[in-house]
Amino acid sequence: DSGVTQTPKHLITATGQRVTLRCSPRSGDLSVYWYQQSLDQGLQFLIHYYNGEERAKGNILERFSAQQFPDLHSELNLSSLELGDSALYFCASSVDTGVYNEQFFGPGTRLTVL
Amino acid sequence: DQQVKQNSPSLSVQEGRISILNCDYTNSMFDYFLWYKKYPAEGPTFLISISSIKDKNEDGRFTVFLNKSAKHLSLHIVPSQPGDSAVYFCAASSTTSGTYKYIFGTGTRLKVLA
Protein backbone atom coordinates (compact mmCIF):
# COMPACT_ATOMS: atom_id res chain seq x y z
CA ASP A 1 0.00 0.00 0.00
CA SER A 2 1.61 3.24 -1.21
CA GLY A 3 -0.53 5.45 0.99
CA VAL A 4 -2.00 7.21 -2.04
CA THR A 5 -5.73 6.67 -2.46
CA GLN A 6 -7.80 7.16 -5.59
CA THR A 7 -11.55 7.07 -5.98
CA PRO A 8 -13.44 5.64 -7.66
CA LYS A 9 -11.65 2.46 -8.70
CA HIS A 10 -13.84 2.03 -11.76
CA LEU A 11 -15.99 4.46 -13.68
CA ILE A 12 -18.20 3.71 -16.65
CA THR A 13 -19.83 6.59 -18.43
CA ALA A 14 -21.05 7.71 -21.84
CA THR A 15 -19.54 9.96 -24.47
CA GLY A 16 -20.12 13.63 -23.87
CA GLN A 17 -20.32 13.25 -20.11
CA ARG A 18 -18.14 14.78 -17.40
CA VAL A 19 -16.42 12.92 -14.58
CA THR A 20 -14.26 13.79 -11.60
CA LEU A 21 -11.42 11.59 -10.37
CA ARG A 22 -10.16 12.10 -6.85
CA CYS A 23 -6.74 11.57 -5.33
CA SER A 24 -5.54 11.79 -1.74
CA PRO A 25 -1.75 11.96 -1.47
CA ARG A 26 0.36 10.32 1.20
CA SER A 27 0.34 12.14 4.49
CA GLY A 28 2.87 14.96 4.31
CA ASP A 29 3.31 14.91 0.55
CA LEU A 30 2.87 18.29 -1.10
CA SER A 31 3.21 17.27 -4.75
CA VAL A 32 0.54 15.50 -6.78
CA TYR A 33 1.02 14.21 -10.32
CA TRP A 34 -1.57 12.84 -12.72
CA TYR A 35 -0.80 10.28 -15.41
CA GLN A 36 -2.90 8.58 -18.09
CA GLN A 37 -2.23 5.04 -19.28
CA SER A 38 -4.09 4.07 -22.43
CA LEU A 39 -4.08 0.55 -23.84
CA ASP A 40 -0.54 -0.61 -24.63
CA GLN A 41 0.82 2.82 -23.83
CA GLY A 42 3.19 4.00 -21.18
CA LEU A 43 2.14 6.39 -18.49
CA GLN A 44 1.61 9.80 -20.05
CA PHE A 45 2.27 12.72 -17.73
CA LEU A 46 -0.72 15.06 -17.53
CA ILE A 47 -0.13 17.65 -14.83
CA HIS A 48 1.77 18.38 -11.60
CA TYR A 49 0.56 20.37 -8.61
CA TYR A 50 2.65 21.47 -5.67
CA ASN A 51 1.00 22.78 -2.53
CA GLY A 52 -2.03 23.97 -4.44
CA GLU A 53 -0.22 25.53 -7.38
CA GLU A 54 0.13 24.13 -10.87
CA ARG A 55 3.81 23.44 -11.58
CA ALA A 56 3.93 21.66 -14.92
CA LYS A 57 1.64 20.55 -17.70
CA GLY A 58 2.17 17.63 -20.00
CA ASN A 59 -0.05 16.19 -22.69
CA ILE A 60 -3.27 17.28 -21.03
CA LEU A 61 -6.22 18.02 -23.28
CA GLU A 62 -8.11 21.30 -22.92
CA ARG A 63 -11.19 19.24 -21.99
CA PHE A 64 -9.30 18.09 -18.90
CA SER A 65 -8.55 20.19 -15.86
CA ALA A 66 -7.21 19.58 -12.39
CA GLN A 67 -6.84 21.31 -9.08
CA GLN A 68 -5.26 20.71 -5.71
CA PHE A 69 -7.18 21.81 -2.66
CA PRO A 70 -5.93 23.30 0.64
CA ASP A 71 -6.09 19.86 2.27
CA LEU A 72 -3.77 18.73 -0.59
CA HIS A 73 -6.17 16.28 -2.19
CA SER A 74 -6.49 16.67 -5.93
CA GLU A 75 -9.22 16.23 -8.49
CA LEU A 76 -8.93 15.59 -12.21
CA ASN A 77 -11.97 16.72 -14.18
CA LEU A 78 -12.61 15.20 -17.59
CA SER A 79 -15.36 16.71 -19.71
CA SER A 80 -16.96 16.11 -23.11
CA LEU A 81 -15.69 12.59 -22.86
CA GLU A 82 -14.74 10.68 -25.98
CA LEU A 83 -14.20 6.96 -26.53
CA GLY A 84 -10.44 7.57 -26.68
CA ASP A 85 -10.43 8.89 -23.12
CA SER A 86 -10.95 5.36 -21.85
CA ALA A 87 -7.81 4.62 -19.86
CA LEU A 88 -6.28 4.07 -16.46
CA TYR A 89 -5.67 7.32 -14.65
CA PHE A 90 -2.98 7.29 -11.98
CA CYS A 91 -2.24 9.81 -9.34
CA ALA A 92 1.18 9.94 -7.68
CA SER A 93 2.49 12.00 -4.81
CA SER A 94 5.90 13.00 -3.53
CA VAL A 95 7.20 14.92 -0.55
CA ASP A 96 8.42 17.87 -2.54
CA THR A 97 9.23 18.87 -6.07
CA GLY A 98 12.34 17.61 -7.76
CA VAL A 99 12.99 14.44 -9.69
CA TYR A 100 14.93 12.85 -6.84
CA ASN A 101 11.81 12.73 -4.71
CA GLU A 102 10.28 9.32 -5.27
CA GLN A 103 6.78 9.40 -6.70
CA PHE A 104 4.36 7.05 -4.95
CA PHE A 105 1.50 5.90 -7.12
CA GLY A 106 -2.09 5.17 -6.23
CA PRO A 107 -3.91 2.09 -7.56
CA GLY A 108 -5.51 4.05 -10.38
CA THR A 109 -9.02 4.76 -11.64
CA ARG A 110 -10.13 2.79 -14.67
CA LEU A 111 -12.35 4.96 -16.86
CA THR A 112 -14.49 3.36 -19.54
CA VAL A 113 -16.31 5.63 -21.95
CA LEU A 114 -19.08 3.88 -23.92
CA ASP B 1 7.28 11.23 -30.29
CA GLN B 2 8.27 8.44 -27.93
CA GLN B 3 11.27 9.77 -26.04
CA VAL B 4 11.61 6.62 -23.92
CA LYS B 5 11.29 3.28 -25.68
CA GLN B 6 10.99 -0.23 -24.39
CA ASN B 7 11.04 -2.28 -27.56
CA SER B 8 10.31 -5.65 -25.96
CA PRO B 9 6.66 -5.84 -24.88
CA SER B 10 7.26 -9.12 -23.09
CA LEU B 11 9.99 -11.38 -21.78
CA SER B 12 9.92 -14.89 -20.31
CA VAL B 13 12.74 -16.17 -18.12
CA GLN B 14 13.29 -19.33 -16.16
CA GLU B 15 13.40 -19.01 -12.36
CA GLY B 16 16.96 -18.55 -11.11
CA ARG B 17 18.23 -17.14 -14.41
CA ILE B 18 19.01 -13.53 -15.25
CA SER B 19 16.32 -11.19 -16.57
CA ILE B 20 17.52 -8.28 -18.70
CA LEU B 21 15.09 -5.51 -19.53
CA ASN B 22 16.14 -2.81 -21.96
CA CYS B 23 15.24 0.82 -22.44
CA ASP B 24 16.36 3.43 -24.96
CA TYR B 25 15.90 7.17 -24.81
CA THR B 26 16.32 9.94 -27.34
CA ASN B 27 16.46 13.15 -25.33
CA SER B 28 20.03 14.03 -24.37
CA MET B 29 18.69 16.31 -21.62
CA PHE B 30 17.61 13.28 -19.60
CA ASP B 31 19.98 12.76 -16.70
CA TYR B 32 17.98 10.76 -14.18
CA PHE B 33 16.46 7.39 -14.86
CA LEU B 34 14.18 5.09 -12.92
CA TRP B 35 12.58 1.67 -13.10
CA TYR B 36 9.10 1.07 -11.75
CA LYS B 37 7.41 -2.29 -11.32
CA LYS B 38 3.68 -2.76 -11.70
CA TYR B 39 1.51 -5.66 -10.60
CA PRO B 40 -2.06 -6.06 -11.92
CA ALA B 41 -4.64 -3.83 -10.24
CA GLU B 42 -1.93 -1.87 -8.45
CA GLY B 43 -0.10 1.35 -9.17
CA PRO B 44 3.55 1.31 -10.22
CA THR B 45 6.10 1.07 -7.42
CA PHE B 46 9.61 2.47 -7.51
CA LEU B 47 12.33 -0.12 -7.95
CA ILE B 48 15.68 1.52 -8.61
CA SER B 49 17.14 4.68 -10.10
CA ILE B 50 20.39 5.94 -11.58
CA SER B 51 21.83 9.37 -12.16
CA SER B 52 23.79 10.11 -15.31
CA ILE B 53 26.96 10.65 -13.27
CA LYS B 54 27.03 6.90 -12.66
CA ASP B 55 26.99 3.97 -15.04
CA LYS B 56 25.78 1.36 -12.60
CA ASN B 57 23.59 1.18 -9.54
CA GLU B 58 22.91 -1.94 -7.56
CA ASP B 59 20.23 -2.82 -5.01
CA GLY B 60 20.13 -6.44 -3.98
CA ARG B 61 19.11 -8.58 -6.92
CA PHE B 62 18.48 -5.51 -9.09
CA THR B 63 21.16 -3.66 -11.04
CA VAL B 64 20.66 -0.83 -13.50
CA PHE B 65 23.29 -0.06 -16.12
CA LEU B 66 23.46 3.22 -18.01
CA ASN B 67 25.27 3.73 -21.31
CA LYS B 68 25.05 7.44 -21.99
CA SER B 69 26.75 7.37 -25.35
CA ALA B 70 24.25 4.81 -26.61
CA LYS B 71 21.35 6.44 -24.74
CA HIS B 72 20.53 3.02 -23.36
CA LEU B 73 19.82 1.59 -19.96
CA SER B 74 19.09 -1.89 -18.79
CA LEU B 75 17.75 -3.55 -15.67
CA HIS B 76 19.26 -6.85 -14.60
CA ILE B 77 17.47 -9.10 -12.15
CA VAL B 78 19.60 -11.91 -10.74
CA PRO B 79 18.40 -14.44 -9.80
CA SER B 80 14.88 -14.04 -11.18
CA GLN B 81 12.03 -15.19 -8.96
CA PRO B 82 8.38 -15.92 -9.78
CA GLY B 83 7.39 -12.91 -7.64
CA ASP B 84 9.27 -10.70 -10.09
CA SER B 85 6.59 -11.38 -12.71
CA ALA B 86 5.17 -7.93 -13.40
CA VAL B 87 5.26 -5.09 -15.91
CA TYR B 88 8.44 -3.03 -15.70
CA PHE B 89 8.44 0.61 -16.77
CA CYS B 90 11.54 2.60 -17.53
CA ALA B 91 11.27 6.35 -16.88
CA ALA B 92 13.51 9.32 -17.54
CA SER B 93 13.68 12.86 -16.34
CA SER B 94 15.76 15.99 -16.62
CA THR B 95 16.99 17.58 -13.40
CA THR B 96 17.57 20.85 -15.21
CA SER B 97 14.22 21.22 -16.98
CA GLY B 98 12.42 22.49 -13.92
CA THR B 99 9.31 20.45 -14.62
CA TYR B 100 10.12 17.39 -12.47
CA LYS B 101 8.08 15.13 -14.71
CA TYR B 102 8.89 11.55 -15.55
CA ILE B 103 8.65 10.31 -19.14
CA PHE B 104 7.71 6.65 -19.12
CA GLY B 105 8.24 3.90 -21.64
CA THR B 106 5.45 1.53 -22.66
CA GLY B 107 6.59 -1.23 -20.33
CA THR B 108 7.91 -4.78 -20.60
CA ARG B 109 5.89 -7.63 -19.17
CA LEU B 110 8.23 -10.04 -17.42
CA LYS B 111 7.15 -13.58 -16.73
CA VAL B 112 9.37 -15.71 -14.54
CA LEU B 113 8.65 -19.38 -15.01
CA ALA B 114 8.93 -21.70 -12.02
Side-chain angles (χ1 to χ4, degrees), chain B residues 71-89:
Chain B
K71 293 192 176 68
H72 177 85
L73 62 155
S74 60
L75 175 68
H76 293 209
I77 306 173
V78 185
S80 301
Q81 300 174 354
D84 297 329
S85 297
V87 177
Y88 289 79
F89 291 99

PDB file of all heavy atoms in Angstrom, chain B residues 71-89:
ATOM      1  N   LYS B  71      22.668   6.053 -25.251  1.00  0.00           N
ATOM      2  CA  LYS B  71      21.352   6.441 -24.745  1.00  0.00           C
ATOM      3  C   LYS B  71      20.533   5.174 -24.447  1.00  0.00           C
ATOM      4  O   LYS B  71      19.405   4.997 -24.935  1.00  0.00           O
ATOM      5  CB  LYS B  71      20.619   7.341 -25.725  1.00  0.00           C
ATOM      6  CG  LYS B  71      21.262   8.714 -25.907  1.00  0.00           C
ATOM      7  CD  LYS B  71      20.326   9.645 -26.665  1.00  0.00           C
ATOM      8  CE  LYS B  71      20.877  11.053 -26.774  1.00  0.00           C
ATOM      9  NZ  LYS B  71      22.065  11.101 -27.650  1.00  0.00           N
ATOM     10  N   HIS B  72      21.119   4.327 -23.640  1.00  0.00           N
ATOM     11  CA  HIS B  72      20.532   3.024 -23.358  1.00  0.00           C
ATOM     12  C   HIS B  72      20.715   2.681 -21.887  1.00  0.00           C
ATOM     13  O   HIS B  72      21.771   2.932 -21.304  1.00  0.00           O
ATOM     14  CB  HIS B  72      21.220   1.956 -24.225  1.00  0.00           C
ATOM     15  CG  HIS B  72      20.748   0.564 -23.956  1.00  0.00           C
ATOM     16  ND1 HIS B  72      19.624   0.036 -24.559  1.00  0.00           N
ATOM     17  CD2 HIS B  72      21.242  -0.410 -23.143  1.00  0.00           C
ATOM     18  CE1 HIS B  72      19.455  -1.212 -24.134  1.00  0.00           C
ATOM     19  NE2 HIS B  72      20.417  -1.503 -23.285  1.00  0.00           N
ATOM     20  N   LEU B  73      19.666   2.137 -21.301  1.00  0.00           N
ATOM     21  CA  LEU B  73      19.819   1.590 -19.959  1.00  0.00           C
ATOM     22  C   LEU B  73      19.172   0.227 -19.894  1.00  0.00           C
ATOM     23  O   LEU B  73      18.303  -0.101 -20.718  1.00  0.00           O
ATOM     24  CB  LEU B  73      19.271   2.512 -18.870  1.00  0.00           C
ATOM     25  CG  LEU B  73      17.815   2.902 -18.804  1.00  0.00           C
ATOM     26  CD1 LEU B  73      17.466   3.260 -17.376  1.00  0.00           C
ATOM     27  CD2 LEU B  73      17.551   4.110 -19.677  1.00  0.00           C
ATOM     28  N   SER B  74      19.636  -0.550 -18.935  1.00  0.00           N
ATOM     29  CA  SER B  74      19.090  -1.890 -18.791  1.00  0.00           C
ATOM     30  C   SER B  74      18.949  -2.210 -17.304  1.00  0.00           C
ATOM     31  O   SER B  74      19.680  -1.675 -16.459  1.00  0.00           O
ATOM     32  CB  SER B  74      19.969  -2.923 -19.490  1.00  0.00           C
ATOM     33  OG  SER B  74      21.268  -2.930 -18.941  1.00  0.00           O
ATOM     34  N   LEU B  75      17.991  -3.054 -17.028  1.00  0.00           N
ATOM     35  CA  LEU B  75      17.745  -3.545 -15.675  1.00  0.00           C
ATOM     36  C   LEU B  75      18.032  -5.032 -15.658  1.00  0.00           C
ATOM     37  O   LEU B  75      17.475  -5.779 -16.467  1.00  0.00           O
ATOM     38  CB  LEU B  75      16.289  -3.284 -15.273  1.00  0.00           C
ATOM     39  CG  LEU B  75      15.848  -3.857 -13.923  1.00  0.00           C
ATOM     40  CD1 LEU B  75      16.549  -3.128 -12.781  1.00  0.00           C
ATOM     41  CD2 LEU B  75      14.331  -3.773 -13.764  1.00  0.00           C
ATOM     42  N   HIS B  76      18.939  -5.444 -14.757  1.00  0.00           N
ATOM     43  CA  HIS B  76      19.263  -6.853 -14.602  1.00  0.00           C
ATOM     44  C   HIS B  76      18.684  -7.350 -13.284  1.00  0.00           C
ATOM     45  O   HIS B  76      18.866  -6.703 -12.237  1.00  0.00           O
ATOM     46  CB  HIS B  76      20.782  -7.071 -14.608  1.00  0.00           C
ATOM     47  CG  HIS B  76      21.421  -6.774 -15.929  1.00  0.00           C
ATOM     48  ND1 HIS B  76      22.564  -7.416 -16.354  1.00  0.00           N
ATOM     49  CD2 HIS B  76      21.075  -5.928 -16.927  1.00  0.00           C
ATOM     50  CE1 HIS B  76      22.908  -6.969 -17.551  1.00  0.00           C
ATOM     51  NE2 HIS B  76      22.012  -6.064 -17.918  1.00  0.00           N
ATOM     52  N   ILE B  77      18.019  -8.480 -13.347  1.00  0.00           N
ATOM     53  CA  ILE B  77      17.467  -9.104 -12.146  1.00  0.00           C
ATOM     54  C   ILE B  77      18.119 -10.480 -12.014  1.00  0.00           C
ATOM     55  O   ILE B  77      17.959 -11.334 -12.896  1.00  0.00           O
ATOM     56  CB  ILE B  77      15.940  -9.258 -12.234  1.00  0.00           C
ATOM     57  CG1 ILE B  77      15.280  -7.914 -12.552  1.00  0.00           C
ATOM     58  CG2 ILE B  77      15.385  -9.806 -10.922  1.00  0.00           C
ATOM     59  CD1 ILE B  77      13.769  -8.017 -12.819  1.00  0.00           C
ATOM     60  N   VAL B  78      18.892 -10.646 -10.942  1.00  0.00           N
ATOM     61  CA  VAL B  78      19.598 -11.907 -10.743  1.00  0.00           C
ATOM     62  C   VAL B  78      19.547 -12.325  -9.270  1.00  0.00           C
ATOM     63  O   VAL B  78      19.998 -11.536  -8.419  1.00  0.00           O
ATOM     64  CB  VAL B  78      21.088 -11.796 -11.156  1.00  0.00           C
ATOM     65  CG1 VAL B  78      21.765 -13.160 -11.048  1.00  0.00           C
ATOM     66  CG2 VAL B  78      21.231 -11.257 -12.565  1.00  0.00           C
ATOM     67  N   PRO B  79      19.105 -13.527  -8.913  1.00  0.00           N
ATOM     68  CA  PRO B  79      18.396 -14.437  -9.803  1.00  0.00           C
ATOM     69  C   PRO B  79      16.929 -14.040  -9.914  1.00  0.00           C
ATOM     70  O   PRO B  79      16.366 -13.445  -8.995  1.00  0.00           O
ATOM     71  CB  PRO B  79      18.535 -15.777  -9.073  1.00  0.00           C
ATOM     72  CG  PRO B  79      18.564 -15.389  -7.626  1.00  0.00           C
ATOM     73  CD  PRO B  79      19.257 -14.058  -7.553  1.00  0.00           C
ATOM     74  N   SER B  80      16.301 -14.368 -10.997  1.00  0.00           N
ATOM     75  CA  SER B  80      14.883 -14.042 -11.183  1.00  0.00           C
ATOM     76  C   SER B  80      14.025 -14.986 -10.342  1.00  0.00           C
ATOM     77  O   SER B  80      14.331 -16.172 -10.202  1.00  0.00           O
ATOM     78  CB  SER B  80      14.501 -14.189 -12.659  1.00  0.00           C
ATOM     79  OG  SER B  80      15.286 -13.329 -13.466  1.00  0.00           O
ATOM     80  N   GLN B  81      12.956 -14.421  -9.795  1.00  0.00           N
ATOM     81  CA  GLN B  81      12.034 -15.188  -8.959  1.00  0.00           C
ATOM     82  C   GLN B  81      10.618 -15.043  -9.511  1.00  0.00           C
ATOM     83  O   GLN B  81      10.297 -14.001 -10.108  1.00  0.00           O
ATOM     84  CB  GLN B  81      12.088 -14.681  -7.515  1.00  0.00           C
ATOM     85  CG  GLN B  81      13.459 -14.802  -6.869  1.00  0.00           C
ATOM     86  CD  GLN B  81      13.509 -14.148  -5.493  1.00  0.00           C
ATOM     87  OE1 GLN B  81      12.569 -13.513  -5.050  1.00  0.00           O
ATOM     88  NE2 GLN B  81      14.647 -14.333  -4.816  1.00  0.00           N
ATOM     89  N   PRO B  82       9.754 -16.018  -9.277  1.00  0.00           N
ATOM     90  CA  PRO B  82       8.377 -15.920  -9.780  1.00  0.00           C
ATOM     91  C   PRO B  82       7.676 -14.634  -9.337  1.00  0.00           C
ATOM     92  O   PRO B  82       6.876 -14.070 -10.084  1.00  0.00           O
ATOM     93  CB  PRO B  82       7.709 -17.166  -9.198  1.00  0.00           C
ATOM     94  CG  PRO B  82       8.820 -18.154  -9.076  1.00  0.00           C
ATOM     95  CD  PRO B  82      10.033 -17.345  -8.679  1.00  0.00           C
ATOM     96  N   GLY B  83       7.985 -14.150  -8.136  1.00  0.00           N
ATOM     97  CA  GLY B  83       7.385 -12.912  -7.640  1.00  0.00           C
ATOM     98  C   GLY B  83       7.818 -11.670  -8.413  1.00  0.00           C
ATOM     99  O   GLY B  83       7.237 -10.603  -8.234  1.00  0.00           O
ATOM    100  N   ASP B  84       8.829 -11.826  -9.251  1.00  0.00           N
ATOM    101  CA  ASP B  84       9.271 -10.697 -10.087  1.00  0.00           C
ATOM    102  C   ASP B  84       8.382 -10.526 -11.310  1.00  0.00           C
ATOM    103  O   ASP B  84       8.519  -9.537 -12.047  1.00  0.00           O
ATOM    104  CB  ASP B  84      10.716 -10.901 -10.558  1.00  0.00           C
ATOM    105  CG  ASP B  84      11.716 -10.933  -9.416  1.00  0.00           C
ATOM    106  OD1 ASP B  84      11.475 -10.250  -8.392  1.00  0.00           O
ATOM    107  OD2 ASP B  84      12.732 -11.654  -9.534  1.00  0.00           O
ATOM    108  N   SER B  85       7.496 -11.467 -11.551  1.00  0.00           N
ATOM    109  CA  SER B  85       6.592 -11.380 -12.707  1.00  0.00           C
ATOM    110  C   SER B  85       5.709 -10.147 -12.560  1.00  0.00           C
ATOM    111  O   SER B  85       4.929 -10.032 -11.607  1.00  0.00           O
ATOM    112  CB  SER B  85       5.732 -12.645 -12.810  1.00  0.00           C
ATOM    113  OG  SER B  85       6.545 -13.780 -13.030  1.00  0.00           O
ATOM    114  N   ALA B  86       5.853  -9.220 -13.474  1.00  0.00           N
ATOM    115  CA  ALA B  86       5.172  -7.926 -13.400  1.00  0.00           C
ATOM    116  C   ALA B  86       5.469  -7.171 -14.690  1.00  0.00           C
ATOM    117  O   ALA B  86       6.231  -7.646 -15.539  1.00  0.00           O
ATOM    118  CB  ALA B  86       5.670  -7.116 -12.206  1.00  0.00           C
ATOM    119  N   VAL B  87       4.895  -5.990 -14.816  1.00  0.00           N
ATOM    120  CA  VAL B  87       5.258  -5.093 -15.911  1.00  0.00           C
ATOM    121  C   VAL B  87       6.277  -4.093 -15.373  1.00  0.00           C
ATOM    122  O   VAL B  87       6.080  -3.507 -14.307  1.00  0.00           O
ATOM    123  CB  VAL B  87       4.030  -4.349 -16.463  1.00  0.00           C
ATOM    124  CG1 VAL B  87       4.452  -3.373 -17.557  1.00  0.00           C
ATOM    125  CG2 VAL B  87       3.011  -5.345 -17.005  1.00  0.00           C
ATOM    126  N   TYR B  88       7.370  -3.929 -16.100  1.00  0.00           N
ATOM    127  CA  TYR B  88       8.437  -3.028 -15.696  1.00  0.00           C
ATOM    128  C   TYR B  88       8.462  -1.814 -16.620  1.00  0.00           C
ATOM    129  O   TYR B  88       8.539  -1.946 -17.838  1.00  0.00           O
ATOM    130  CB  TYR B  88       9.781  -3.751 -15.728  1.00  0.00           C
ATOM    131  CG  TYR B  88       9.906  -4.764 -14.626  1.00  0.00           C
ATOM    132  CD1 TYR B  88       9.283  -6.012 -14.742  1.00  0.00           C
ATOM    133  CD2 TYR B  88      10.599  -4.484 -13.458  1.00  0.00           C
ATOM    134  CE1 TYR B  88       9.355  -6.948 -13.729  1.00  0.00           C
ATOM    135  CE2 TYR B  88      10.683  -5.423 -12.432  1.00  0.00           C
ATOM    136  CZ  TYR B  88      10.059  -6.639 -12.578  1.00  0.00           C
ATOM    137  OH  TYR B  88      10.132  -7.573 -11.563  1.00  0.00           O
ATOM    138  N   PHE B  89       8.391  -0.635 -16.022  1.00  0.00           N
ATOM    139  CA  PHE B  89       8.437   0.612 -16.774  1.00  0.00           C
ATOM    140  C   PHE B  89       9.759   1.314 -16.530  1.00  0.00           C
ATOM    141  O   PHE B  89      10.194   1.463 -15.386  1.00  0.00           O
ATOM    142  CB  PHE B  89       7.307   1.547 -16.347  1.00  0.00           C
ATOM    143  CG  PHE B  89       5.935   1.095 -16.742  1.00  0.00           C
ATOM    144  CD1 PHE B  89       5.116   0.444 -15.842  1.00  0.00           C
ATOM    145  CD2 PHE B  89       5.450   1.331 -18.023  1.00  0.00           C
ATOM    146  CE1 PHE B  89       3.846   0.020 -16.196  1.00  0.00           C
ATOM    147  CE2 PHE B  89       4.182   0.919 -18.393  1.00  0.00           C
ATOM    148  CZ  PHE B  89       3.382   0.264 -17.481  1.00  0.00           C
TER     149      PHE B  89
END
